[in-house]
Amino acid sequence: EAAPEPGEPRSRPPQQRQPCGEAPGGLAGWECPQAGTALSRERPPVRGGHGGTSGMSHLSAPESSWSSLPRVPAFLQGPRLAAHPTSPPALADGPNDSEKPTGGKSKAELRAERRAKQEAERAQKQAKKAELSQAATAAKPRLTPTEPQSVVKRLPEHVQVDDPAAQRKLAKKLERQQVPLRQDYGTKVNLFSHLHQYSRKKPLTQQMSIPSTVIHPAVVRLGLQYSQGIINGSNARCIALLEVFKQLIRDYSTPPNEELSRDLVAKLKPHISFLNQCRPLSASMGNAIKFLKKEISCLPDTLREEEAKEKLQDTIDKYLREKILLAAEAISRSAFEKINDKDVILVYGCSSLVNRTLCDAHVKKGRAFRVIVVDSRPRLEGRETLRRLVRKGIHCTYVMINAISYVLPEVSKVLLGAHALLANGSVMSRVGTSQIALVSKAYNVPVLVCCETYKFCERVQTDSFVSNELDDPDDLIVLRKGQAQLGGWAENKSLRLLNLVYDVTPPDLVDLVITDLGMIPCTSVPVVLRVKNVDQ
Amino acid sequence: VTQLSNLEEISQITTIQGLRSSLLAAIDTLSRVDSSVAVSSGGELFLRFISLTSLEYSDYSKCKEIMIERGEIFLRKVSLSRNKIAKLCHPFIRDGAQILTHAYSRVVLRVLEAAVESKKRFSVYVTESQPDQAGQKMAKALRKLNIPVTVILDAAVGYIMEKVDLVLVGAEGVVESGGIINKIGTNQIAVCAKAQNKPFYVVAESFKFVRLFPLNQQDVPDKFKYKADTLKTSQNLTEEHPWIDYTSPSLITLLFTDLGVLTPSAVSDELIKLYL
């Protein structure tokens, strides 16, 4: 910023207000967050400046200094405005900048009127947004109202563990919701210090009184099942979550003077935070929660409470049935076309979809193929797959992941499950999947991924570091001949144990994605997302 | 497609389902006689195109009229599509270019014709394309257009690739992944072109888009690989020579269709729009 005036924060509002002044639609985006997302898509050229990291600091100052607007008139002279040509927002509004100096006093009057109007509207909005947490720095809360407009989304809390400000905000939020904050355990590897690392031996329930007044007991039980690893796998977790939410809705009763559509969403928030603290939410769970929140907030006001609750439970059932159960059936049928007699199929870990496809192909359609199950420590999920397949009579071989280059020459195709499919076509799945895809590509073996469309996310990730999950490092401790290798890892200052849960496979390593909408190449995932958004 | 639209006109059946099943039967018979990818995909798309109307009108005879109209529109679109493609593709042929093409394709012929009309000078290498010597037929047609043409052996593709500026082939079918199904030998040419960094262009009409997703050569259904009578008469298919092969999308630079100039990954987007 070239401007050397002492009143620098004050001189920014005029320049920042131009976008709002010239584009009243931008303000409308504030009032209706849902419409705002549509608007933000139309306005990237203008909002782009706001989204950049340097732009964020520009944004913070004017928003907080709007209360200083009455003092601004003295500074509404052309030269000062022209002194800020370097900032990105000003670039977008370049033509406006040059207009202002020639306008003169009449423009200042118009601006004053507009300012008064905006003040009134802002006061209204403040009242509505009273629930938003006002953190110590005035900057951060001001960011949230403009979130619908900015193209860059704020980073979620669970990948900002090394940012003390974000953690303080989280702690305050949890305190307000009366959900205990789970402590991290053990030293983390530097590359992953931005992620949480919890210990299974210290479940969250030790920090709260049971029965809890805020959290429904079914949710407490679910949280415990998640954190102890009793319920595993993205489909299982999502189904369990939806069943528990159904229970929650059944037991919910609207307090007097409250709207069910608004109050229920507010009541769900502490439960979601609690589950998040027990174990970070999976992409499937995130999408299901988004869907549920939308359904609840779109409930018509005319319904009685009982009817509304019935309707909600029906929609949850429908979602479960269509997106998970029927989708599995459709995927099994499509994938069956790709399984031929005398095939040797390689599978990794334990995926409910892949198991179902193979069992259906063998039992119902009688295809003759054999399976190589690849497994890896410390979860050893392949053993569960092995158990299920052998019980159906499928011929199986079991190897550990270090042996894949030994078995791949005899494999005809690789069938993998997915935790989520990202918007750039990358596949997020259990750690080890990208390794299998890489080696298969080197051996020219086609890689097929099975994934339902409800697991498709708008996120984009090119590596496995940015957003991941760290599991309990104590899982890596091995008991051999009565001695726990690596048992004393915490005492050794230069030793860190890393137990990653997910990894990201780039789209060029995957040949085909089988979804309930059919077979698509990995690069068509954004099209499906677009079609889905249009449907909704 | 002409046959199908004729059948539609003469059909006496009074229900939409009946008409649909008779059309399906006709497509079946056609496929049994000439099992090419284009016939099956063209037939399916024709069926979808005309049956889109069936939801709107309750009066059957009116509906039938509309369907016949749409059938004619479809036919006209198909014949116009080649001109559209030629208009899109000929700017990519620069003056003085050396083009390599494979076997006999009417779309490629039309593109080269358009290039000649826009006063470009270029020369063409055509592969002989055994076992039916389709390359000779192509060479004859090109000589009529006064284009200097050389017929080369199928085995000489690797040899000639360094001299060539671009490769232009037609397609019998375009699959969901963006790959193509074409006369046997296309895959080799694509691999050589990729190795020498030469652009590999495919020209195909949109009715050739088919809902197949082969993972490798083996995955292409037998009914496309071999001629219909071979399938009926032969005992052991492994002794027969396949007539087509599958070229994977990673080897293709661009596809020119009447829907526009597409990259292989965009083909799936178009297919989703067409079929979903």
Side-chain angles (χ1 to χ4, degrees), chain A residues 453 458 517 524-536, chain B residues 269 272-273 276:
Chain A
T453 46
E458 298 267 343
L517 287 176
S524 287
V525 167
V527 181
V528 170
L529 276 171
R530 208 192 321 140
V531 165
K532 257 199 337 170
N533 284 340
V534 163
D535 282 343
Q536 284 164 3
Chain B
D269 299 6
I272 292 181
K273 273 193 240 165
L276 276 179

Side-chain angles (χ1 to χ4, degrees), chain B residues 4 8 14 35 42 45 50 55 74 76-77 99 107 122 124 136 157 172 175 185 198 206 223 230 265-266:
Chain B
L4 288 176
E8 203 187 17
T14 52
S35 63
L45 271 169
I50 60 172
L55 306 162
F74 191 79
R76 247 180 294 140
K77 264 197 182 174
I99 305 174
V107 192
F122 53 90
V124 179
Q136 300 287 6
V157 166
E172 292 198 24
V175 295
K198 307 282 178 184
S206 63
K223 65 175 187 182
T230 329
S265 37

Side-chain angles (χ1 to χ4, degrees), chain B residues 1 9 35 51 69 77 80 181 199 212 240 242 259:
Chain B
V1 172
E9 281 182 35
S35 63
S51 46
E69 237 179 81
K77 264 197 182 174
L80 283 175
I181 294 187
L212 262 180
E240 299 294 327
L259 299 167

Side-chain angles (χ1 to χ4, degrees), chain A residues 36-258:
Chain A
T37 41
L39 279 166
S40 70
R41 257 184 255 131
E42 294 162 25
R43 295 186 183 291
V46 177
R47 301 297 162 216
H50 295 211
T53 39
S54 58
M56 293 230 270
S57 54
H58 287 194
L59 205 54
S60 53
E63 313 310 308
S64 54
S65 59
W66 273 37
S67 48
S68 67
L69 276 170
R71 280 174 273 155
V72 172
F75 299 89
L76 284 181
Q77 299 307 314
R80 197 150 289 122
L81 297 168
H84 303 289
T86 51
S87 59
L91 270 175
D93 316 314
N96 279 14
D97 250 330
S98 48
E99 272 173 41
K100 287 278 188 334
T102 54
K105 281 287 178 181
S106 55
K107 285 250 172 174
E109 279 168 30
L110 283 169
R111 237 179 271 122
E113 281 171 40
R114 250 185 287 150
R115 219 181 313 118
K117 220 182 12 170
Q118 282 160 358
E119 267 281 70
E121 279 177 77
R122 204 178 58 86
Q124 259 185 331
K125 250 164 278 152
Q126 278 299 84
K128 270 195 219 165
K129 298 204 192 275
E131 50 191 279
L132 271 178
S133 59
Q134 304 287 319
T137 50
K140 290 249 162 96
R142 301 299 182 191
L143 274 175
T144 24
T146 55
E147 216 175 285
Q149 295 171 345
S150 66
V151 174
V152 171
K153 296 208 181 349
R154 207 175 32 165
L155 281 174
E157 169 285 319
H158 70 269
V159 295
Q160 281 188 302
V161 177
D162 53 354
D163 179 6
Q167 290 309 298
R168 269 202 300 271
K169 243 184 84 182
L170 171 73
K172 284 213 183 98
K173 176 174 124 181
L174 289 179
E175 214 181 288
R176 231 187 332 113
Q177 293 176 336
Q178 295 175 291
V179 172
L181 173 69
R182 200 168 180 195
Q183 295 301 326
D184 281 2
Y185 164 75
T187 30
K188 294 183 243 187
V189 173
N190 277 339
L191 265 176
F192 293 95
S193 56
H194 61 285
L195 300 170
H196 283 294
Q197 182 170 280
Y198 299 129
S199 163
R200 202 160 295 136
K201 293 204 204 52
K202 298 207 189 80
L204 196 54
T205 42
Q206 285 178 351
Q207 293 171 255
M208 48 193 282
S209 66
I210 299 188
S212 155
T213 46
V214 179
I215 312 285
H216 190 286
V219 177
V220 176
R221 183 178 62 178
L222 185 67
L224 210 53
Q225 284 171 327
Y226 283 163
S227 69
Q228 301 301 98
I230 299 173
I231 295 188
N232 238 331
S234 59
N235 273 345
R237 282 164 73 188
C238 189
I239 295 176
L241 178 76
L242 288 174
E243 293 291 333
V244 162
F245 274 173
K246 265 184 15 199
Q247 172 82 26
L248 245 160
I249 293 175
R250 265 198 294 271
D251 296 341
Y252 168 80
S253 51
T254 328
N257 300 332
E258 289 279 358

Side-chain angles (χ1 to χ4, degrees), chain A residues 338 512 519 521 523-524 527, chain B residues 176 213 215 219 265 268-269 272:
Chain A
K338 292 290 171 203
L512 172 62
M519 296 195 262
T523 44
S524 287
V527 181
Chain B
E176 275 192 68
F213 205 128
L215 296 170
D219 227 5
S265 37
S268 167
D269 299 6
I272 292 181

